[in-house]
Amino acid sequence: MLSPRQLFLQHQAQTTDFPLLLEVERAEGVFMYGPNGERYLDLISGIGVSNVGHRHPKVLEAIQDQLGKYLHLMVYGEIVQATPARLAHALAQTLPASLDNVYFVSSGSEAIEGACKVAKRFSGRTELIAFNNAYHGSTQGALSLNGSESFKRAFRPLLPDVRHIKHNLMEDLQQITSRTAAVILETVQGEAGVRVPDQEYMQALRARCTEVGALLILDEIQSGFGRTGTFWAFEQCGIVPDILTCAKGMGGGMPIGAFISRQEIMHSLKNDPMLGHITTFGGHPVSCAASLATLQVILEEGLLAQVPAKAARFKERLVHPAIKEIRNLGLMMAVEFESFDILKAIIDNAILKGVLTDWFLFCDNSMRIAPPLTITFEEIDEACVLVLRAIEEEVRF
């Protein structure tokens, strides 16, 4: 009989020529375990997904409870289901009053697609403005917004009427005009290597969108659900978007996403044409149950208040001449090295020592650190010791 590794390589589509090929038998908390007792401390949370850790007991309990009732019933928006309705209400309670209408989808990319569609439909305009080094997903619409030409040139032609401007540059805001349907920005640029815009810039962006009647879409697919120390990263900017997208950390390990706005904007999808955005599995009750439990865990277990001190602990411990800079907003962190070759050797060595890290798509000389918010200070210390050992073994001065 073929092993899981052989089946994976023969029959499961690959995304690179060098997959990690870690075999994971089970996971719990901040750890993943291999079939032969290997233990890996997960410093990337499935790329910002497992914000409350792997298999949090309250998330598992919520999933099990929903499994005893029903699974998929009907395409999105036709049948009243208690769990999605309660999740929508709970999300609204974390947000300003103007963000009170939630459309559930299956992924972050679909959240971006829906947000851009509703922005075009409501505004009657066609131009979308995104940013250099932005990452919003891999479907063709989301890919059109991405800011790295090397990542998308093989798939052109993409969406027309998409403009890119420089991140955090005041002068470029003048390119937002009365033709612009929406400006879409990651509140913290993720795949660019954790780039946090100035607060003054964010406020000027908000003011410019308001001035010309363009909608402001903030992408919090990576930064939402407590990752940065507030439930939503935009809370730290002093602004409110017109449309918000989320996914990744909102599901507690289950697939789910959403785009959120005010009713006036969202209702424009109901007519001309009706069913302006439809999805079969969006708002799946099991995913919504997991998401609601995740939201409650973050708030009830006080995880937000712990983020600054845990981020500070990483920065205190990760000190080495090979580390050029550490950028972060909360536990969304980038540790910069001289080159990709150096970083890749460190990542591979750290895996052998039992710590899983990663790099960024558009910043391949920086190590991604985005652990579960539940990580303890002792686990942070353990992870940092092992990463520093990997650095020592791979970098010579």
Side-chain angles (χ1 to χ4, degrees), residues 7 17 29 59-60 70 76 83 87 97 103 117 121 145 179 182 199 210 229 268 288 308 313 331 338 340 359-360 379:
L7 293 172
D17 288 327
V59 174
L60 295 183
Y70 53 82
Y76 182 85
T83 303
L87 174 58
Y103 194 118
K117 284 174 67 177
R121 176 67 185 84
L145 302 168
R179 286 195 63 252
Q199 188 170 42
T210 301
S268 64
C288 286
R313 186 67 153 249
L331 285 171
E338 186 67 33
F340 171 74
W359 66 89
F360 298 89
E379 289 162 348

Side-chain angles (χ1 to χ4, degrees), residues 260-381:
I260 306 169
S261 189
R262 64 180 187 269
Q263 285 196 11
E264 177 190 10
I265 292 174
M266 298 294 273
H267 282 188
S268 64
L269 290 175
K270 292 164 56 176
N271 300 291
D272 261 348
M274 70 169 63
L275 304 173
H277 189 74
I278 50 177
T279 174
T280 298
F281 293 113
H284 192 284
V286 178
S287 292
C288 286
S291 181
L292 181 57
T294 297
L295 186 156
Q296 291 167 342
V297 166
I298 291 170
L299 297 180
E300 293 171 4
E301 296 189 4
L303 297 182
L304 297 176
Q306 301 170 28
V307 168
K310 290 177 178 179
R313 186 67 153 249
F314 272 109
K315 296 176 83 170
E316 290 166 5
R317 295 291 190 267
L318 287 176
V319 177
H320 190 279
I323 295 174
K324 304 300 181 184
E325 180 186 17
I326 298 180
R327 297 179 298 275
N328 79 293
L329 191 62
L331 285 171
M332 189 172 178
M333 313 184 78
V335 182
E336 184 172 309
F337 294 88
E338 186 67 33
S339 67
F340 171 74
D341 290 340
I342 291 172
L343 173 59
K344 182 64 166 63
I346 294 167
I347 288 172
D348 291 346
N349 190 313
I351 290 173
L352 295 176
K353 290 177 170 30
V355 178
L356 178 62
T357 63
D358 193 18
W359 66 89
F360 298 89
L361 286 176
F362 310 143
C363 187
D364 65 6
N365 67 332
S366 292
M367 176 184 289
R368 184 194 307 268
I369 294 183
L373 308 184
T374 54
I375 193 170
T376 66
F377 289 98
E378 293 75 18
E379 289 162 348
I380 292 172
D381 291 346

Side-chain angles (χ1 to χ4, degrees), residues 111-129:
I112 295 297
E113 299 284 352
C116 291
K117 284 174 67 177
V118 75
K120 286 183 173 182
R121 176 67 185 84
F122 180 77
S123 68
R125 304 175 183 180
T126 59
E127 182 182 67
L128 297 171
I129 292 182

Side-chain angles (χ1 to χ4, degrees), residues 83-228:
T83 303
R86 289 175 182 145
L87 174 58
H89 176 260
L91 284 169
Q93 298 303 112
T94 71
L95 289 163
S98 59
L99 296 170
D100 64 353
N101 213 243
V102 183
Y103 194 118
F104 292 118
V105 291
S106 301
S107 69
S109 290
E110 190 186 356
I112 295 297
E113 299 284 352
C116 291
K117 284 174 67 177
V118 75
K120 286 183 173 182
R121 176 67 185 84
F122 180 77
S123 68
R125 304 175 183 180
T126 59
E127 182 182 67
L128 297 171
I129 292 182
F131 290 81
N132 290 353
N133 290 324
Y135 181 79
H136 298 287
S138 288
T139 54
Q140 290 197 71
L143 187 63
S144 305
L145 302 168
N146 287 354
S148 173
E149 183 59 29
S150 64
F151 199 66
K152 62 187 180 182
R153 67 167 61 98
F155 305 104
R156 290 191 176 279
L158 297 169
L159 281 184
D161 216 3
V162 175
R163 178 194 298 266
H164 288 82
I165 62 177
K166 292 180 180 177
H167 185 254
N168 211 29
L169 183 66
M170 288 286 192
E171 299 93 289
D172 272 18
L173 296 181
Q174 294 307 307
Q175 296 186 49
I176 305 168
T177 70
S178 58
R179 286 195 63 252
T180 307
V183 179
I184 180 165
L185 172 69
E186 298 160 272
T187 312
V188 179
Q189 280 198 316
E191 297 308 318
V194 186
R195 308 293 174 172
V196 183
D198 298 331
Q199 188 170 42
E200 294 79 8
Y201 176 81
M202 295 295 278
Q203 292 173 351
L205 170 62
R206 172 69 277 181
R208 180 61 178 173
C209 288
T210 301
E211 178 186 355
V212 302
L215 297 177
L216 176 59
I217 303 171
L218 289 184
D219 176 345
E220 297 230 3
I221 290 166
Q222 286 199 53
S223 61
F225 268 68
R227 172 59 49 194
T228 67

Side-chain angles (χ1 to χ4, degrees), residues 223-238:
S223 61
F225 268 68
R227 172 59 49 194
T228 67
T230 48
F231 200 89
W232 305 105
F234 76 79
E235 296 175 49
Q236 302 177 46
C237 302

